Amino acid sequence: MDLGIKGKRALILGSSAGMGRGVAEALAAEGVDVVLTGRHQDKLDPIAAAMAARYGVRVEAKACDLGKDGDLDRLMDFALDKFGGIDIQFNNCGGPPRLLPGEADLKLWREWFEIIVMAVINATSRVLPGMRERKWGRVLCMTTSNLLAAKQDNVMSGSLRLAVAGWAKALSQEVGPDGITVNCLVPGRIYTERVKLGDETRAKRLGTTPEQVAESMRKNTPMRRDGKVEDMAATAAFLASEQAGYITGSVIRVDGGKAQSNL
């Protein structure tokens, strides 16, 4: 299927590894020019070169640490200067420590609020004027399965990404008349380095092994397997497509059926 987005321009936050990189690859394969971001320029540069050579698209790379003052502004200036505008905004970042509610202090809450919530709002606000002028845009936000079922041992991620989902729903209603869609993606157990680290953290808390934790998690998923980055990337690429132009304000699960919610 031709997704109709060849020649579009995308900014993919957190795209040096994991799901962000997978989404960047999927969009580049559709002919989309992309800006890659991550904390380390020396890691980004070879990824950008390989992606440009493989797909024949323009790939720019700019280091950005969402926790550092001014980094996001510099990234947005770079992306808009290089491409002249962004058509597809993919909001994604690493997750906070896996903590119980009583383990997270106020300083940590403030730090991660800036990274998870304010960075998304700030980055999107920079690209929206151009999208509205062109009457076309796609905004995608990576969230967490904790939107649907809270987990006490990952309270910060669930709480802060729930705020992102509420903002995204409201934004979708505002910009819908301008041809812009805004959707959230909810991953299940998509196997990445963060999932591996999560298994290790849970194993220590429960007094078991990471392998036993992983097997238990898989047994609780109807598909009985971990998801692949490609599963999420394909969904994101479709939501960025012309064909998905009537899907907005939605929370799309890519979780192998794990969530127990009827919605």
Side-chain angles (χ1 to χ4, degrees):
M1 179 188 295
D2 180 359
L3 298 184
I5 51 177
K6 183 177 182 180
K8 299 293 187 184
R9 301 154 297 181
L11 171 58
I12 316 294
L13 298 184
S15 46
S16 62
M19 285 187 276
R21 181 173 175 179
V23 170
E25 293 266 3
L27 292 175
E30 294 294 326
V32 176
D33 296 328
V34 298
V35 177
L36 303 178
T37 73
R39 288 178 295 174
H40 305 292
Q41 192 71 41
D42 59 349
K43 185 176 181 180
L44 288 167
D45 287 338
I47 295 171
M51 197 177 295
R54 181 176 183 182
Y55 301 111
V57 296
R58 184 176 177 185
V59 183
E60 299 287 348
K62 175 70 172 175
C64 175
D65 184 339
L66 297 177
K68 288 185 177 179
D69 289 343
D71 260 25
L72 180 61
D73 288 335
R74 286 186 284 273
L75 169 66
M76 301 310 298
D77 289 343
F78 174 88
L80 293 170
D81 178 64
K82 290 290 185 180
F83 282 178
I86 296 295
D87 306 298
I88 301 166
Q89 174 76 22
F90 184 76
N91 293 313
N92 176 51
C93 70
R98 293 178 181 273
L99 299 173
L100 296 168
E103 295 173 333
D105 62 37
L106 292 180
K107 181 175 182 293
L108 206 56
W109 275 109
R110 293 188 183 99
E111 289 175 359
W112 282 97
F113 179 79
E114 290 293 330
I115 293 170
I116 293 177
V117 181
M118 290 309 303
V120 167
I121 295 173
N122 289 342
T124 305
S125 70
R126 291 288 302 275
V127 302
L128 278 176
M131 291 180 177
R132 298 182 95 159
E133 182 179 341
R134 295 185 294 275
K135 298 296 182 182
W136 198 98
R138 301 286 185 265
V139 178
L140 299 174
C141 301
M142 182 63 69
T143 63
T144 173
S145 59
N146 294 350
L147 292 187
L148 308 173
K151 295 179 182 177
Q152 63 171 339
D153 64 348
N154 201 8
V155 64
M156 296 185 72
S157 180
S159 301
L160 296 174
R161 297 189 201 277
L162 190 58
V164 171
W167 165 83
K169 181 67 175 180
L171 181 64
S172 72
Q173 297 170 350
E174 179 184 0
V175 301
D178 298 310
I180 302 166
T181 67
V182 186
N183 292 292
C184 290
L185 286 159
V186 174
R189 189 179 159 85
I190 308 293
Y191 197 80
T192 62
E193 185 64 25
R194 177 162 171 79
V195 166
K196 179 182 176 183
L197 293 174
D199 290 347
E200 294 170 357
T201 300
R202 290 190 182 97
K204 290 179 181 178
R205 195 185 297 277
L206 298 172
T208 184
T209 68
E211 292 75 19
Q212 288 172 318
V213 169
E215 183 58 27
S216 174
M217 299 282 281
R218 287 191 285 266
K219 284 181 178 178
N220 288 327
T221 300
M223 299 300 292
R224 298 296 192 271
R225 68 171 177 86
D226 291 337
K228 298 177 291 184
V229 168
E230 291 81 3
D231 296 324
M232 179 60 73
T235 304
F238 175 72
L239 289 172
S241 72
E242 286 284 1
Q243 290 88 335
Y246 203 57
I247 301 173
T248 194
S250 295
V251 173
I252 309 296
R253 302 199 310 258
V254 185
D255 69 350
K258 183 178 180 180
Q260 297 300 307
S261 170
N262 287 327
L263 300 177

